[in-house]
Amino acid sequence: MDLASSQWERHLMNTGLMECPSFTVSLSRMVGKVHYRSKFLKSETYKKNIAANRIVVTEFGTIAFPDPCKNIFSKAFTYLLNTIPNFTDNNIVNIIRYGEDYYASSEINYINEINTSTLETVRRVNYRNHIALNLATAHPHYDEEGNTYNMGTSIMGLTGPKYVIFKVPASAADKEKNPPLKNLKEICSIPVRSSLYPSYFHSFGMTENYIVFVEQAFKLDIIRLATAYFRGETWGKCLKYDQDDVTLFHLIDRKTGKAVSTKFYGDAFVVFHHINAYEDNGHVVFDLITHKDSSLYDMFYMENLRQDILRGTSKIAPSPLSQRFVIPINADLKEVPTGTNLVKLEDTSATAVLQKDGSLYLTPDTLFEGVELPGVNYKYNTMKYRYFYGSKMEWSPKITKITKLDIVTRTYMEWTEEDCYPSEPVFVASPDAVDEDDGVILSSVVSLNLKKPPFMLVLDAKTFKEIARASINASVHLDLHGLFIHDKS
């Protein structure tokens, strides 16, 4: 595979430690150069913490207390201000695109625009200046025209908490250099089923005609959030999982913004990542990575990590499942008896069973076990697909393998190497691709072995065999998500 002729460039945009010179990767029959650059995101949170020489802005899992040198009145005022949390803008989850601009993003109302060439922080943008949102996902969708679809939660709206789906047009730039969000268009809003407990969501699904939103039983406790600072708790502690609740599945028409009126529901689970979604012969098919409970979050608290080090083992959590759900959208519910499975697709065991009240109870088809951080060939996003790629997570948050999974044959291939911890695999299609898996897989790999420097791994996506690696003598941390940006020069 001729990497140089495709002019691919990988920008690793994260909160790294230093800027480094270029280095060279040897490829078959040629030599290609890979340049590495990493900079701290110059967020307002970063600036405040550096100026104070301590953590002064509360993060998802770390609380900041008032300065101990302040008097009692100043401390009381600080507590009062934090009744309505002022979320951090330390965006560490993903890089997303609106219009022609790229932003460091997490799940709060602030995003930071990034210069993709220099990695300098350009400006901070507040969703709330353009739409009533307190939270928004870091996993938007992009259509063929370059429009961006995303959704978030309005906690403090006049009509009560609601979920909001919105679209940012591709041609959103203007001469005054206003942020593309200025041209944002709200598609619809969905009322929260329990006003004090909106569902947490990290991502959502999209097909050619529908938005798929999973309102799960993993919820944000608004009262606990409002009083968290007083009680010395982080926002992460305000999330709770109700195993006795149900999961609601919402289908929203992308063009009209209207929800399908039928109630779709299933058993309780926790979901962070959608794999893909598509329409097939009168059905909406959507694939998720599900968890039995919310214990995955607990594993990353420092007290638990320290205990793991002392024990020499990792805390066990239920293995994530790759599961397929199917909703029949053209079924005539009046013509079939209660208890009928309305899924007519032959390549899945997922069911949608008609209930007495006219709702459909969904049960999934389990595809694989032990995989997280899924990704696909994005040209197949919203389309029927065969392959996805992910990180193996076998009873531990420590990722030592990346994998390619074949949904048709239910088989998989893996890459692993001793003492190596690979990041989420990112698929990049070959310029002249014919097959779905024509391309390469990119993964940033770190190691605890001091003799093995960090490297960018390049795999043939078809065979999952190594094509090349580019090592660098610098500190590189294991990131969450990455984005490949095509070089337009």
Side-chain angles (χ1 to χ4, degrees), residues 141-185:
H141 287 273
Y142 311 99
D143 64 18
E144 292 183 349
E145 287 76 37
N147 302 307
T148 303
Y149 295 79
N150 206 350
M151 68 177 297
T153 304
S154 174
I155 297 175
M156 297 170 286
L158 295 176
T159 57
K162 59 185 178 180
Y163 311 110
V164 182
I165 300 172
F166 61 92
K167 172 183 175 181
V168 179
S171 56
D174 58 35
K175 295 181 180 179
E176 287 74 31
K177 295 184 179 180
N178 290 310
L181 289 179
K182 184 178 181 181
N183 298 309
L184 177 153
K185 299 177 181 179

mmCIF file of all heavy atoms in Angstrom, residues 141-185:
data_model
loop_
_atom_site.group_PDB
_atom_site.id
_atom_site.type_symbol
_atom_site.label_atom_id
_atom_site.label_comp_id
_atom_site.label_asym_id
_atom_site.label_seq_id
_atom_site.Cartn_x
_atom_site.Cartn_y
_atom_site.Cartn_z
ATOM 1 N N HIS A 141 -22.314 13.169 14.220
ATOM 2 C CA HIS A 141 -22.316 12.459 12.931
ATOM 3 C C HIS A 141 -22.184 13.473 11.807
ATOM 4 O O HIS A 141 -22.605 14.635 11.939
ATOM 5 C CB HIS A 141 -23.610 11.665 12.757
ATOM 6 C CG HIS A 141 -23.687 10.442 13.608
ATOM 7 N ND1 HIS A 141 -23.177 9.226 13.217
ATOM 8 C CD2 HIS A 141 -24.208 10.245 14.840
ATOM 9 C CE1 HIS A 141 -23.391 8.321 14.161
ATOM 10 N NE2 HIS A 141 -24.009 8.918 15.166
ATOM 11 N N TYR A 142 -21.631 13.025 10.683
ATOM 12 C CA TYR A 142 -21.439 13.875 9.511
ATOM 13 C C TYR A 142 -22.091 13.201 8.307
ATOM 14 O O TYR A 142 -21.910 11.999 8.095
ATOM 15 C CB TYR A 142 -19.943 14.090 9.229
ATOM 16 C CG TYR A 142 -19.148 14.499 10.458
ATOM 17 C CD1 TYR A 142 -18.406 13.563 11.172
ATOM 18 C CD2 TYR A 142 -19.168 15.816 10.910
ATOM 19 C CE1 TYR A 142 -17.693 13.926 12.307
ATOM 20 C CE2 TYR A 142 -18.450 16.188 12.040
ATOM 21 C CZ TYR A 142 -17.717 15.237 12.733
ATOM 22 O OH TYR A 142 -17.017 15.601 13.860
ATOM 23 N N ASP A 143 -22.851 13.969 7.521
ATOM 24 C CA ASP A 143 -23.449 13.382 6.323
ATOM 25 C C ASP A 143 -22.569 13.645 5.110
ATOM 26 O O ASP A 143 -21.491 14.264 5.223
ATOM 27 C CB ASP A 143 -24.879 13.887 6.115
ATOM 28 C CG ASP A 143 -24.969 15.395 5.848
ATOM 29 O OD1 ASP A 143 -23.938 15.999 5.477
ATOM 30 O OD2 ASP A 143 -26.070 15.965 6.015
ATOM 31 N N GLU A 144 -23.007 13.187 3.939
ATOM 32 C CA GLU A 144 -22.193 13.286 2.729
ATOM 33 C C GLU A 144 -21.972 14.732 2.292
ATOM 34 O O GLU A 144 -20.988 15.029 1.608
ATOM 35 C CB GLU A 144 -22.842 12.487 1.598
ATOM 36 C CG GLU A 144 -22.817 10.973 1.826
ATOM 37 C CD GLU A 144 -23.408 10.220 0.658
ATOM 38 O OE1 GLU A 144 -24.016 10.878 -0.224
ATOM 39 O OE2 GLU A 144 -23.260 8.987 0.612
ATOM 40 N N GLU A 145 -22.872 15.624 2.679
ATOM 41 C CA GLU A 145 -22.717 17.039 2.316
ATOM 42 C C GLU A 145 -21.793 17.785 3.272
ATOM 43 O O GLU A 145 -21.472 18.953 3.048
ATOM 44 C CB GLU A 145 -24.086 17.734 2.303
ATOM 45 C CG GLU A 145 -24.966 17.352 1.124
ATOM 46 C CD GLU A 145 -25.581 15.974 1.281
ATOM 47 O OE1 GLU A 145 -25.939 15.622 2.425
ATOM 48 O OE2 GLU A 145 -25.678 15.248 0.279
ATOM 49 N N GLY A 146 -21.382 17.124 4.355
ATOM 50 C CA GLY A 146 -20.503 17.763 5.327
ATOM 51 C C GLY A 146 -21.239 18.415 6.478
ATOM 52 O O GLY A 146 -20.615 19.072 7.333
ATOM 53 N N ASN A 147 -22.580 18.250 6.543
ATOM 54 C CA ASN A 147 -23.339 18.768 7.674
ATOM 55 C C ASN A 147 -23.041 17.943 8.929
ATOM 56 O O ASN A 147 -22.777 16.736 8.847
ATOM 57 C CB ASN A 147 -24.839 18.707 7.383
ATOM 58 C CG ASN A 147 -25.222 19.475 6.140
ATOM 59 O OD1 ASN A 147 -24.888 20.647 6.001
ATOM 60 N ND2 ASN A 147 -25.918 18.823 5.221
ATOM 61 N N THR A 148 -23.083 18.598 10.065
ATOM 62 C CA THR A 148 -22.805 17.931 11.334
ATOM 63 C C THR A 148 -24.083 17.829 12.157
ATOM 64 O O THR A 148 -24.806 18.817 12.316
ATOM 65 C CB THR A 148 -21.749 18.703 12.146
ATOM 66 O OG1 THR A 148 -20.557 18.837 11.371
ATOM 67 C CG2 THR A 148 -21.416 17.963 13.439
ATOM 68 N N TYR A 149 -24.358 16.618 12.671
ATOM 69 C CA TYR A 149 -25.506 16.384 13.547
ATOM 70 C C TYR A 149 -24.993 16.053 14.940
ATOM 71 O O TYR A 149 -24.079 15.250 15.097
ATOM 72 C CB TYR A 149 -26.353 15.217 13.039
ATOM 73 C CG TYR A 149 -27.008 15.452 11.704
ATOM 74 C CD1 TYR A 149 -26.281 15.333 10.515
ATOM 75 C CD2 TYR A 149 -28.356 15.792 11.613
ATOM 76 C CE1 TYR A 149 -26.875 15.545 9.282
ATOM 77 C CE2 TYR A 149 -28.966 16.007 10.384
ATOM 78 C CZ TYR A 149 -28.219 15.878 9.222
ATOM 79 O OH TYR A 149 -28.806 16.093 8.007
ATOM 80 N N ASN A 150 -25.602 16.680 15.939
ATOM 81 C CA ASN A 150 -25.206 16.385 17.318
ATOM 82 C C ASN A 150 -26.420 16.536 18.224
ATOM 83 O O ASN A 150 -27.478 16.996 17.793
ATOM 84 C CB ASN A 150 -24.068 17.302 17.770
ATOM 85 C CG ASN A 150 -23.215 16.672 18.870
ATOM 86 O OD1 ASN A 150 -23.570 15.632 19.435
ATOM 87 N ND2 ASN A 150 -22.086 17.285 19.180
ATOM 88 N N MET A 151 -26.256 16.152 19.475
ATOM 89 C CA MET A 151 -27.346 16.307 20.429
ATOM 90 C C MET A 151 -26.803 16.539 21.822
ATOM 91 O O MET A 151 -25.632 16.243 22.111
ATOM 92 C CB MET A 151 -28.289 15.109 20.394
ATOM 93 C CG MET A 151 -27.754 13.799 20.884
ATOM 94 S SD MET A 151 -29.047 12.502 20.836
ATOM 95 C CE MET A 151 -30.258 13.133 22.004
ATOM 96 N N GLY A 152 -27.635 17.112 22.668
ATOM 97 C CA GLY A 152 -27.217 17.407 24.023
ATOM 98 C C GLY A 152 -28.413 17.478 24.951
ATOM 99 O O GLY A 152 -29.552 17.171 24.560
ATOM 100 N N THR A 153 -28.164 17.916 26.172
ATOM 101 C CA THR A 153 -29.204 17.987 27.195
ATOM 102 C C THR A 153 -29.325 19.412 27.718
ATOM 103 O O THR A 153 -28.321 20.043 28.047
ATOM 104 C CB THR A 153 -28.888 17.053 28.376
ATOM 105 O OG1 THR A 153 -28.710 15.724 27.891
ATOM 106 C CG2 THR A 153 -30.015 17.069 29.395
ATOM 107 N N SER A 154 -30.551 19.911 27.763
ATOM 108 C CA SER A 154 -30.849 21.187 28.403
ATOM 109 C C SER A 154 -31.395 20.874 29.787
ATOM 110 O O SER A 154 -32.488 20.308 29.910
ATOM 111 C CB SER A 154 -31.868 21.977 27.583
ATOM 112 O OG SER A 154 -32.268 23.144 28.273
ATOM 113 N N ILE A 155 -30.644 21.194 30.817
ATOM 114 C CA ILE A 155 -31.038 20.855 32.189
ATOM 115 C C ILE A 155 -31.940 21.913 32.795
ATOM 116 O O ILE A 155 -32.893 21.615 33.515
ATOM 117 C CB ILE A 155 -29.787 20.666 33.078
ATOM 118 C CG1 ILE A 155 -28.951 19.486 32.568
ATOM 119 C CG2 ILE A 155 -30.175 20.444 34.530
ATOM 120 C CD1 ILE A 155 -27.644 19.310 33.316
ATOM 121 N N MET A 156 -31.657 23.184 32.472
ATOM 122 C CA MET A 156 -32.328 24.283 33.171
ATOM 123 C C MET A 156 -33.245 25.092 32.264
ATOM 124 O O MET A 156 -33.397 26.294 32.420
ATOM 125 C CB MET A 156 -31.284 25.193 33.816
ATOM 126 C CG MET A 156 -30.467 24.490 34.884
ATOM 127 S SD MET A 156 -29.048 25.444 35.475
ATOM 128 C CE MET A 156 -27.928 25.304 34.086
ATOM 129 N N GLY A 157 -33.880 24.443 31.278
ATOM 130 C CA GLY A 157 -34.796 25.148 30.396
ATOM 131 C C GLY A 157 -36.090 25.533 31.092
ATOM 132 O O GLY A 157 -36.480 24.936 32.100
ATOM 133 N N LEU A 158 -36.795 26.518 30.541
ATOM 134 C CA LEU A 158 -38.043 26.994 31.139
ATOM 135 C C LEU A 158 -39.127 25.929 31.119
ATOM 136 O O LEU A 158 -40.019 25.901 31.968
ATOM 137 C CB LEU A 158 -38.527 28.251 30.397
ATOM 138 C CG LEU A 158 -37.619 29.482 30.501
ATOM 139 C CD1 LEU A 158 -38.181 30.613 29.646
ATOM 140 C CD2 LEU A 158 -37.472 29.916 31.949
ATOM 141 N N THR A 159 -39.065 25.038 30.124
ATOM 142 C CA THR A 159 -40.073 23.981 30.005
ATOM 143 C C THR A 159 -39.608 22.674 30.648
ATOM 144 O O THR A 159 -40.236 21.636 30.465
ATOM 145 C CB THR A 159 -40.403 23.727 28.526
ATOM 146 O OG1 THR A 159 -39.203 23.380 27.814
ATOM 147 C CG2 THR A 159 -41.015 24.964 27.893
ATOM 148 N N GLY A 160 -38.526 22.741 31.396
ATOM 149 C CA GLY A 160 -38.016 21.541 32.043
ATOM 150 C C GLY A 160 -36.907 20.896 31.232
ATOM 151 O O GLY A 160 -36.660 21.269 30.078
ATOM 152 N N PRO A 161 -36.210 19.926 31.804
ATOM 153 C CA PRO A 161 -35.107 19.260 31.101
ATOM 154 C C PRO A 161 -35.577 18.585 29.810
ATOM 155 O O PRO A 161 -36.696 18.052 29.749
ATOM 156 C CB PRO A 161 -34.623 18.225 32.123
ATOM 157 C CG PRO A 161 -35.077 18.736 33.446
ATOM 158 C CD PRO A 161 -36.384 19.429 33.178
ATOM 159 N N LYS A 162 -34.741 18.629 28.803
ATOM 160 C CA LYS A 162 -35.067 17.982 27.531
ATOM 161 C C LYS A 162 -33.777 17.644 26.790
ATOM 162 O O LYS A 162 -32.712 18.196 27.061
ATOM 163 C CB LYS A 162 -35.940 18.905 26.672
ATOM 164 C CG LYS A 162 -35.299 20.245 26.361
ATOM 165 C CD LYS A 162 -36.251 21.159 25.612
ATOM 166 C CE LYS A 162 -35.599 22.531 25.353
ATOM 167 N NZ LYS A 162 -36.522 23.432 24.620
ATOM 168 N N TYR A 163 -33.895 16.692 25.874
ATOM 169 C CA TYR A 163 -32.797 16.341 24.990
ATOM 170 C C TYR A 163 -33.003 17.095 23.683
ATOM 171 O O TYR A 163 -34.128 17.169 23.172
ATOM 172 C CB TYR A 163 -32.769 14.842 24.720
ATOM 173 C CG TYR A 163 -32.874 13.998 25.972
ATOM 174 C CD1 TYR A 163 -34.023 13.247 26.235
ATOM 175 C CD2 TYR A 163 -31.843 13.942 26.903
ATOM 176 C CE1 TYR A 163 -34.138 12.470 27.371
ATOM 177 C CE2 TYR A 163 -31.943 13.169 28.052
ATOM 178 C CZ TYR A 163 -33.094 12.444 28.282
ATOM 179 O OH TYR A 163 -33.209 11.676 29.418
ATOM 180 N N VAL A 164 -31.937 17.648 23.134
ATOM 181 C CA VAL A 164 -32.035 18.490 21.941
ATOM 182 C C VAL A 164 -31.134 17.947 20.844
ATOM 183 O O VAL A 164 -29.948 17.691 21.072
ATOM 184 C CB VAL A 164 -31.652 19.950 22.259
ATOM 185 C CG1 VAL A 164 -31.807 20.816 21.012
ATOM 186 C CG2 VAL A 164 -32.506 20.498 23.393
ATOM 187 N N ILE A 165 -31.703 17.759 19.654
ATOM 188 C CA ILE A 165 -30.941 17.318 18.481
ATOM 189 C C ILE A 165 -30.805 18.518 17.547
ATOM 190 O O ILE A 165 -31.787 19.224 17.284
ATOM 191 C CB ILE A 165 -31.652 16.159 17.760
ATOM 192 C CG1 ILE A 165 -31.814 14.967 18.715
ATOM 193 C CG2 ILE A 165 -30.879 15.733 16.518
ATOM 194 C CD1 ILE A 165 -32.671 13.847 18.157
ATOM 195 N N PHE A 166 -29.589 18.754 17.057
ATOM 196 C CA PHE A 166 -29.369 19.924 16.209
ATOM 197 C C PHE A 166 -28.437 19.598 15.053
ATOM 198 O O PHE A 166 -27.758 18.574 15.035
ATOM 199 C CB PHE A 166 -28.820 21.101 17.022
ATOM 200 C CG PHE A 166 -27.496 20.845 17.696
ATOM 201 C CD1 PHE A 166 -26.294 21.171 17.073
ATOM 202 C CD2 PHE A 166 -27.435 20.291 18.972
ATOM 203 C CE1 PHE A 166 -25.071 20.958 17.695
ATOM 204 C CE2 PHE A 166 -26.226 20.073 19.608
ATOM 205 C CZ PHE A 166 -25.037 20.401 18.962
ATOM 206 N N LYS A 167 -28.426 20.499 14.084
ATOM 207 C CA LYS A 167 -27.638 20.332 12.859
ATOM 208 C C LYS A 167 -26.871 21.617 12.587
ATOM 209 O O LYS A 167 -27.419 22.719 12.714
ATOM 210 C CB LYS A 167 -28.574 20.016 11.685
ATOM 211 C CG LYS A 167 -27.925 19.998 10.309
ATOM 212 C CD LYS A 167 -28.993 19.754 9.250
ATOM 213 C CE LYS A 167 -28.438 19.851 7.835
ATOM 214 N NZ LYS A 167 -29.499 19.637 6.813
ATOM 215 N N VAL A 168 -25.597 21.466 12.226
ATOM 216 C CA VAL A 168 -24.771 22.612 11.836
ATOM 217 C C VAL A 168 -24.422 22.447 10.358
ATOM 218 O O VAL A 168 -23.793 21.452 9.983
ATOM 219 C CB VAL A 168 -23.486 22.706 12.685
ATOM 220 C CG1 VAL A 168 -22.640 23.898 12.227
ATOM 221 C CG2 VAL A 168 -23.827 22.828 14.166
ATOM 222 N N PRO A 169 -24.848 23.379 9.492
ATOM 223 C CA PRO A 169 -24.609 23.230 8.049
ATOM 224 C C PRO A 169 -23.122 23.200 7.708
ATOM 225 O O PRO A 169 -22.291 23.783 8.409
ATOM 226 C CB PRO A 169 -25.282 24.474 7.453
ATOM 227 C CG PRO A 169 -26.244 24.935 8.494
ATOM 228 C CD PRO A 169 -25.632 24.577 9.809
ATOM 229 N N ALA A 170 -22.811 22.524 6.613
ATOM 230 C CA ALA A 170 -21.417 22.413 6.169
ATOM 231 C C ALA A 170 -20.849 23.773 5.814
ATOM 232 O O ALA A 170 -19.699 24.091 6.132
ATOM 233 C CB ALA A 170 -21.331 21.473 4.970
ATOM 234 N N SER A 171 -21.638 24.607 5.136
ATOM 235 C CA SER A 171 -21.183 25.937 4.731
ATOM 236 C C SER A 171 -21.527 26.943 5.818
ATOM 237 O O SER A 171 -22.284 27.899 5.598
ATOM 238 C CB SER A 171 -21.838 26.342 3.415
ATOM 239 O OG SER A 171 -23.250 26.281 3.537
ATOM 240 N N ALA A 172 -20.970 26.696 7.010
ATOM 241 C CA ALA A 172 -21.349 27.525 8.155
ATOM 242 C C ALA A 172 -20.373 28.666 8.424
ATOM 243 O O ALA A 172 -20.560 29.446 9.343
ATOM 244 C CB ALA A 172 -21.464 26.658 9.407
ATOM 245 N N ALA A 173 -19.313 28.777 7.630
ATOM 246 C CA ALA A 173 -18.331 29.844 7.859
ATOM 247 C C ALA A 173 -18.861 31.177 7.309
ATOM 248 O O ALA A 173 -19.686 31.204 6.398
ATOM 249 C CB ALA A 173 -17.014 29.482 7.189
ATOM 250 N N ASP A 174 -18.397 32.281 7.847
ATOM 251 C CA ASP A 174 -18.760 33.586 7.317
ATOM 252 C C ASP A 174 -17.558 34.516 7.357
ATOM 253 O O ASP A 174 -16.528 34.210 7.954
ATOM 254 C CB ASP A 174 -19.957 34.190 8.050
ATOM 255 C CG ASP A 174 -19.702 34.344 9.557
ATOM 256 O OD1 ASP A 174 -18.554 34.623 9.941
ATOM 257 O OD2 ASP A 174 -20.650 34.178 10.340
ATOM 258 N N LYS A 175 -17.670 35.657 6.705
ATOM 259 C CA LYS A 175 -16.546 36.580 6.580
ATOM 260 C C LYS A 175 -16.133 37.181 7.913
ATOM 261 O O LYS A 175 -14.988 37.582 8.099
ATOM 262 C CB LYS A 175 -16.915 37.691 5.588
ATOM 263 C CG LYS A 175 -17.116 37.195 4.164
ATOM 264 C CD LYS A 175 -17.465 38.346 3.226
ATOM 265 C CE LYS A 175 -17.671 37.838 1.802
ATOM 266 N NZ LYS A 175 -18.042 38.942 0.862
ATOM 267 N N GLU A 176 -17.080 37.273 8.846
ATOM 268 C CA GLU A 176 -16.765 37.846 10.155
ATOM 269 C C GLU A 176 -16.106 36.829 11.082
ATOM 270 O O GLU A 176 -15.806 37.135 12.232
ATOM 271 C CB GLU A 176 -18.043 38.378 10.823
ATOM 272 C CG GLU A 176 -18.579 39.660 10.211
ATOM 273 C CD GLU A 176 -19.241 39.426 8.862
ATOM 274 O OE1 GLU A 176 -19.802 38.333 8.670
ATOM 275 O OE2 GLU A 176 -19.170 40.330 8.003
ATOM 276 N N LYS A 177 -15.903 35.617 10.584
ATOM 277 C CA LYS A 177 -15.268 34.537 11.344
ATOM 278 C C LYS A 177 -16.045 34.186 12.614
ATOM 279 O O LYS A 177 -15.475 33.834 13.638
ATOM 280 C CB LYS A 177 -13.809 34.900 11.690
ATOM 281 C CG LYS A 177 -12.909 35.019 10.465
ATOM 282 C CD LYS A 177 -11.460 35.278 10.853
ATOM 283 C CE LYS A 177 -10.578 35.372 9.613
ATOM 284 N NZ LYS A 177 -9.152 35.622 9.966
ATOM 285 N N ASN A 178 -17.360 34.303 12.519
ATOM 286 C CA ASN A 178 -18.201 33.822 13.601
ATOM 287 C C ASN A 178 -18.138 32.303 13.645
ATOM 288 O O ASN A 178 -17.935 31.656 12.613
ATOM 289 C CB ASN A 178 -19.654 34.262 13.402
ATOM 290 C CG ASN A 178 -19.841 35.747 13.598
ATOM 291 O OD1 ASN A 178 -19.404 36.302 14.606
ATOM 292 N ND2 ASN A 178 -20.475 36.402 12.633
ATOM 293 N N PRO A 179 -18.313 31.709 14.802
ATOM 294 C CA PRO A 179 -18.266 30.245 14.868
ATOM 295 C C PRO A 179 -19.396 29.634 14.056
ATOM 296 O O PRO A 179 -20.493 30.204 13.960
ATOM 297 C CB PRO A 179 -18.426 29.961 16.362
ATOM 298 C CG PRO A 179 -19.049 31.177 16.945
ATOM 299 C CD PRO A 179 -18.545 32.323 16.120
ATOM 300 N N PRO A 180 -19.165 28.484 13.434
ATOM 301 C CA PRO A 180 -20.203 27.824 12.635
ATOM 302 C C PRO A 180 -21.494 27.575 13.419
ATOM 303 O O PRO A 180 -22.572 27.480 12.830
ATOM 304 C CB PRO A 180 -19.543 26.506 12.227
ATOM 305 C CG PRO A 180 -18.073 26.797 12.242
ATOM 306 C CD PRO A 180 -17.877 27.759 13.372
ATOM 307 N N LEU A 181 -21.389 27.475 14.755
ATOM 308 C CA LEU A 181 -22.585 27.239 15.565
ATOM 309 C C LEU A 181 -23.602 28.370 15.437
ATOM 310 O O LEU A 181 -24.776 28.199 15.797
ATOM 311 C CB LEU A 181 -22.206 27.059 17.040
ATOM 312 C CG LEU A 181 -21.475 25.762 17.410
ATOM 313 C CD1 LEU A 181 -21.155 25.752 18.898
ATOM 314 C CD2 LEU A 181 -22.292 24.542 17.041
ATOM 315 N N LYS A 182 -23.170 29.512 14.912
ATOM 316 C CA LYS A 182 -24.099 30.633 14.741
ATOM 317 C C LYS A 182 -25.216 30.249 13.783
ATOM 318 O O LYS A 182 -26.330 30.772 13.864
ATOM 319 C CB LYS A 182 -23.353 31.863 14.219
ATOM 320 C CG LYS A 182 -24.226 33.103 14.099
ATOM 321 C CD LYS A 182 -23.443 34.313 13.635
ATOM 322 C CE LYS A 182 -24.347 35.546 13.552
ATOM 323 N NZ LYS A 182 -23.607 36.743 13.074
ATOM 324 N N ASN A 183 -24.942 29.327 12.863
ATOM 325 C CA ASN A 183 -25.936 28.900 11.874
ATOM 326 C C ASN A 183 -26.614 27.590 12.259
ATOM 327 O O ASN A 183 -27.236 26.931 11.430
ATOM 328 C CB ASN A 183 -25.270 28.745 10.511
ATOM 329 C CG ASN A 183 -24.699 30.061 10.010
ATOM 330 O OD1 ASN A 183 -25.397 31.074 9.993
ATOM 331 N ND2 ASN A 183 -23.435 30.057 9.624
ATOM 332 N N LEU A 184 -26.494 27.217 13.514
ATOM 333 C CA LEU A 184 -27.076 25.988 14.040
ATOM 334 C C LEU A 184 -28.596 25.968 13.859
ATOM 335 O O LEU A 184 -29.263 26.988 14.019
ATOM 336 C CB LEU A 184 -26.691 25.856 15.507
ATOM 337 C CG LEU A 184 -27.200 24.715 16.368
ATOM 338 C CD1 LEU A 184 -26.200 24.438 17.498
ATOM 339 C CD2 LEU A 184 -28.567 25.050 16.975
ATOM 340 N N LYS A 185 -29.117 24.785 13.545
ATOM 341 C CA LYS A 185 -30.561 24.613 13.398
ATOM 342 C C LYS A 185 -31.024 23.466 14.297
ATOM 343 O O LYS A 185 -30.506 22.353 14.207
ATOM 344 C CB LYS A 185 -30.915 24.304 11.943
ATOM 345 C CG LYS A 185 -30.526 25.400 10.968
ATOM 346 C CD LYS A 185 -30.831 24.997 9.539
ATOM 347 C CE LYS A 185 -30.409 26.098 8.563
ATOM 348 N NZ LYS A 185 -30.677 25.707 7.143
#
